[in-house]
Amino acid sequence: QRSYDRFLNTKMNMSPYICGILMCVAAASAVDVWNLQQLEAAKRGNDLTINVRDIFVPAGQTLNFEFVKPGTTIVFRGRVTFGYKEWRGPLVILKGRNLKIKGGAGHIFDGEGRRWWDGTGTNSGKIKPYMFYVQLADSSVRGLTIKNSPAHTFAINDCNHISINNVMIDNRDGNRFGGHNTDGFDVAKSHRVIIANSTIYNQDDCLAINSGTDITFQRNKCIGGHGIAVAVGGYDVNEARNIVIRGCRCLQTKYGVRIKTLLNGRGIVKGVKIENILLKDVTDAGLLIIGNYLNSGPRGEPTGGIPIEDLTVNNVRGNVLAKGTNINVFVANARNWNWSSNIQGGQRRLPCKGIPNGLRIPCG
């Protein structure tokens, strides 16, 4: 018995030293990165955390987090900047599985977009790079701050089961210096995506969903820009199902919420819920749902090759400026809609067409 007691006492007395060793091991499991060469070394290593400090990405190169080991946490802790070149980008790639990506205190991605901005966006003029390409699974992105994207900020493509939370996209300088096509979040071919609690200042869509399933955009604030859109047609996949847009605010945007399907396109939009949306001083249209969309603008009669089915509009409220339209619906082959809205102020009257039988929508 005495031998056993001595063993227990020895084990208990050693426990602080063991804990100290474990703490040292935990501390040693993080690596700091200050350049692209160190990032490549960190991806080959076994550290559980990669701390990205002040880092300059040379012109025409990408800050590439592809091939980071599953289970890694990536923390941005400094100022990330990029050299100037006319190219498509992206400037940053976030790609992998089971990753946690975080923004630390004081960090920023500064795209310095004014070097590219010329008022034409990605349509013409200078060739402008996308900011982030995201292809993640079972991962989270939280607390990032982005300023002055040259063009589209987040291209979210082929993602599955991810959350993006508490992101700040600040492209306000683009209002004065020719920013255009500075989309906040573009989502395509992705499933089980949540984007929440984020703020977007920009000069194009706050959110644009081109395809995917089970996508939720909630408690976000869109300021300036073109508001929130489900835009389907013209891609290799043209289906958007089970989309929830909830608890968002659109402030001084061109549009509130839009569903737009391509003229003569083929696909489906099914199960969209637009709930508890506040509009304030929207300029052109509060709710716009059209089936004759082209990039150059709506044209002709709506076509029904991409029907909008099982749509719910609930408690969409607020105001449109006098020269705008409160609500415009111009579709074909729509069915099974539910609608409750209170949008006022717009005095421009546009004809509505294709509203499902038995549903009353206060067009105009």
Side-chain angles (χ1 to χ4, degrees):
Q1 180 66 38
R2 291 197 186 104
S3 297
Y4 183 67
D5 290 342
R6 282 197 299 271
F7 170 74
L8 287 178
N9 289 335
T10 301
K11 186 175 181 180
M12 292 176 68
N13 289 335
M14 288 179 62
S15 61
Y17 301 100
I18 294 171
C19 291
I21 292 170
L22 291 175
M23 289 175 66
C24 290
V25 171
S29 66
V31 61
D32 286 356
V33 166
W34 299 84
N35 56 53
L36 299 189
Q37 293 75 24
Q38 291 176 349
L39 175 58
E40 292 306 310
K43 290 193 285 187
R44 294 191 298 268
N46 295 314
D47 297 285
L48 299 178
T49 300
I50 298 175
N51 292 314
V52 182
R53 303 292 180 173
D54 292 338
I55 188 168
F56 172 75
V57 181
Q61 297 188 45
T62 298
L63 185 60
N64 189 351
F65 291 91
E66 190 176 4
F67 306 121
V68 171
K69 291 180 175 62
T72 299
T73 297
I74 301 166
V75 186
F76 294 96
R77 299 188 180 278
R79 183 169 181 257
V80 182
T81 55
F82 308 87
Y84 174 79
K85 180 181 179 179
E86 290 191 39
W87 70 306
R88 301 293 181 190
L91 300 181
V92 183
I93 292 177
L94 303 176
K95 184 175 181 180
R97 181 177 60 82
N98 191 21
L99 302 179
K100 293 181 180 179
I101 299 163
K102 302 178 180 180
H107 86 285
I108 192 167
F109 290 86
D110 193 345
E112 299 178 277
R114 187 177 174 182
R115 296 173 294 173
W116 288 273
W117 293 338
D118 55 11
T120 66
T122 55
N123 297 312
S124 61
K126 295 179 180 179
I127 301 173
K128 303 166 185 73
Y130 281 57
M131 193 84 177
F132 286 85
Y133 177 82
V134 180
Q135 189 175 336
L136 295 169
D138 303 318
S139 299
S140 63
V141 177
R142 176 179 291 272
L144 299 187
T145 298
I146 300 101
K147 183 177 182 181
N148 292 342
S149 310
H152 303 253
T153 308
F154 282 93
I156 299 167
N157 195 54
D158 281 323
C159 289
N160 189 16
H161 191 209
I162 71 165
S163 65
I164 298 175
N165 208 306
N166 194 28
V167 169
M168 165 63 81
I169 299 173
D170 185 356
N171 289 328
R172 277 176 282 192
D173 288 346
N175 295 332
R176 293 185 296 148
F177 298 116
H180 188 59
N181 295 140
T182 52
D183 295 38
F185 300 95
D186 295 331
V187 184
K189 296 185 287 188
S190 295
H191 312 280
R192 295 192 296 165
V193 174
I194 297 174
I195 302 170
N197 305 311
S198 297
T199 300
I200 301 96
Y201 297 86
N202 70 339
Q203 294 79 38
D204 209 302
D205 292 334
C206 178
L207 167 76
I209 298 174
N210 301 132
S211 61
T213 61
D214 301 303
I215 298 167
T216 299
F217 189 74
Q218 62 186 9
R219 299 187 302 275
N220 300 297
K221 183 164 63 173
C222 305
I223 306 165
H226 294 179
I228 299 167
V230 178
V232 177
Y235 302 94
D236 56 340
V237 176
N238 297 297
E239 295 185 4
R241 300 175 185 266
N242 302 330
I243 311 298
V244 177
I245 300 165
R246 175 192 295 136
C248 296
R249 289 178 285 171
C250 296
L251 313 176
Q252 296 89 46
T253 52
K254 185 174 183 178
Y255 306 100
V257 182
R258 290 183 290 171
I259 301 176
K260 48 186 183 178
T261 63
L262 186 70
L263 183 73
N264 296 319
R266 292 290 181 267
I268 191 167
V269 176
K270 186 178 178 69
V272 175
K273 294 182 178 180
I274 305 169
E275 301 177 328
N276 300 323
I277 306 298
L278 175 65
L279 312 179
K280 182 174 175 58
D281 296 341
V282 170
T283 62
D284 285 32
L287 284 167
L288 180 66
I289 303 177
I290 58 173
N292 63 338
Y293 177 76
L294 292 173
N295 191 49
S296 58
R299 185 179 305 167
E301 293 295 307
T303 54
I306 308 177
I308 301 169
E309 302 179 356
D310 301 340
L311 169 66
T312 298
V313 173
N314 181 38
N315 191 28
V316 179
R317 64 202 187 279
N319 78 295
V320 174
L321 299 183
K323 292 183 179 180
T325 300
N326 296 327
I327 299 169
N328 182 224
V329 176
F330 202 62
V331 297
N333 294 343
R335 69 181 186 89
N336 194 25
W337 289 13
N338 293 286
W339 194 286
S340 172
S341 65
N342 182 14
I343 304 171
Q344 301 180 5
Q347 297 181 15
R348 186 184 182 200
R349 298 292 181 257
L350 294 175
C352 281
K353 185 172 186 175
I355 296 172
N357 291 335
L359 187 67
R360 298 184 65 182
I361 295 177
C363 285

